[in-house]
Amino acid sequence: MTTHPTGELPHHTIEGPDGAPPLLLGPSLGTSTALWDAVAPDLAASHRVVRWDLPGHGRSPADLIGPGATVAELAGLVLALADTLGVDRFAYAGVSLGGAVGLHLAAHHPQRVTRLAAVCTSLHFGGADPWRERAATVRREGLAALAAGAPRRWFTPGFTVPALVADHAAADPGAYAACCDALAAYDLRDGAASVTAPTLVLAGREDPATPPAHAREIADAVAGASLVELADASHLAPAERPEAVGAGTPQ
């Protein structure tokens, strides 16, 4: 069983029938379980849906990770959660950082992941320096200015979800910065070929953070992966195009 040194787990919610196939849903940096609000109820009709919060986001403890954190550590938290819930094998869908966690799990713990949806994510996030700079800025200045610009990074013009922007502003700066450290260190380009789970890659055509070229790179690297580009969608596609994302989430 995977355990965390403090014994703490990420905050999570559970929906759906007790005996249904488990499906874990991972969030994007700066968001919470609310990212999946428009998708999870439909998925819960046929799955045991478990949504989880990143450290210091939503209701998860901030001290689950610290400076220099890695995506592998976040994946370990997800495995500890699954183990605590008695879930041996599960389907997984995740957005951005949550999608990177899913790709890491599928590459390094293939016996655990039955199917994967990688949503608006990447095998790498544009190099380490911008994330290290963002982490330093957040540690120095907090999250207010960054959260104010979130709608431009997350949504197409004219669309927003105020609750998600509020989640961003309320996140713990230290834990957010540690998640930036994880993104800085993450690079799965040499490991993606190890993913054997049936994989669907979803991209928002108007996503500036993980453009469709990143999705194509995943689809090219993972044998048998399918790729769908969503029109009228930016980075937080589950909020902006819930029906399309729900249709592509592992069944």
Side-chain angles (χ1 to χ4, degrees), residues 49-90:
V49 176
V50 180
R51 297 188 254 173
W52 60 277
D53 278 330
L54 288 162
H57 294 63
R59 294 169 59 189
S60 278
D63 62 356
L64 290 172
I65 57 172
T70 64
V71 167
E73 285 182 67
L74 294 171
L77 291 171
V78 172
L79 289 180
L81 174 60
D83 289 344
T84 298
L85 297 175
V87 173
D88 181 41
R89 288 168 56 77
F90 50 84

Side-chain angles (χ1 to χ4, degrees), residues 171-183:
D172 179 85
Y176 183 101
C179 287
C180 292
D181 292 339
L183 288 165

